[in-house]
Amino acid sequence: MQNHFRNAPVINKYTINKFPNNETIRNNSSSHLISRRVKPVVMRPQKSATEELQETENAMQTAAETQATEAAGIHSNAVIVLAENEQLPKVDGKPMIIDFNATWCGPCRQFAPNFEAVAEKNAGKALFYSVDVDKHPALAKQYNVQGIPMVLFISPDGKTDSMVGYRDESEFAAIVAAHLN
C-alpha cells in the first residue's frame, strides 16, 4: 500500500490528513478525494475551585430542599404523598381520595399525572393522597388493596368506594365529580 502523505496515519485502507475545520480522506485504491466538514472543538474556560465548590453546595442545597419537601408529603400543590410511617388523618368534613400505587408499577406511573391533574382542579373540594403500598403495607391491608393503581374514595360520613386500574384524565375527572356531588 502506497502512502500518499508521509506524516499522516494510515487507518485501514484510507490515508487521513486533518486540517483545522476540514477533513480530507484520500482513498489509496483510487485517485479521488473525499472532503467533509468537521465541527470545531469549543474550549470552555475552566472553573476555579471556588466556583466548582459553590456549584456543588448549591446542588446539594437544592437536593436537600427537594428531599425535605418530599419527606413532608408535598408532591404537587394538591396531592399529599404519605411519607414512610405516616398515617392517614381522620376524615374532617372533606372527602378523601387516595391513590394506592407503587414505584415499580407501570400503570401507576401512567396514572399519576392524571391523578395530579384532577387533584389540582378539585383542590378545595377534597383531600388527595398518594400512598405507596410498599411503604405502607398496613394501610394497603386495612383498605383491602388487591390490585394497583387503586383509588379509594372516602366520604365525610366514612362510606368508601374504590376503583382499580388505569383511567385517563377525563374519565377519572368524571368519576371524581360523581363522588364529590
Side-chain angles (χ1 to χ4, degrees), residues 70 73-81 97-99 101 108-123 126 128-131 151 167-169 172-173 176:
E70 288 176 357
I74 302 167
H75 192 256
S76 74
N77 292 337
V79 178
I80 301 166
V81 178
I97 301 173
I98 306 161
D99 174 25
N101 56 63
C108 299
R109 288 190 304 230
Q110 288 179 317
F111 178 66
N114 300 342
F115 186 78
E116 289 177 14
V118 172
E120 287 175 8
K121 291 177 186 172
N122 296 291
F128 289 82
Y129 290 92
S130 178
V131 176
V151 177
R167 301 290 195 280
D168 64 16
E169 185 178 339
F172 182 61
V176 168

Side-chain angles (χ1 to χ4, degrees), residues 7 27 32 41 49 66 71 85 98 100 120 126 132 155:
N7 296 331
N27 186 331
H32 66 279
V41 176
T66 302
N85 299 323
I98 306 161
F100 288 95
E120 287 175 8
D132 188 330
S155 64

Side-chain angles (χ1 to χ4, degrees), residues 82-87 100-101 131-145:
L82 279 187
E84 208 164 346
N85 299 323
E86 188 178 1
Q87 294 297 317
F100 288 95
N101 56 63
V131 176
D132 188 330
V133 294
D134 292 331
K135 293 180 182 176
H136 301 280
L139 275 176
K141 186 176 180 181
Q142 177 184 347
Y143 290 108
N144 199 25
V145 176

Side-chain angles (χ1 to χ4, degrees), residues 150-168:
M150 178 180 143
V151 177
L152 179 70
F153 303 92
I154 303 176
S155 64
D157 61 0
K159 293 181 183 175
T160 63
D161 190 16
S162 65
M163 66 163 226
V164 178
Y166 172 84
R167 301 290 195 280
D168 64 16

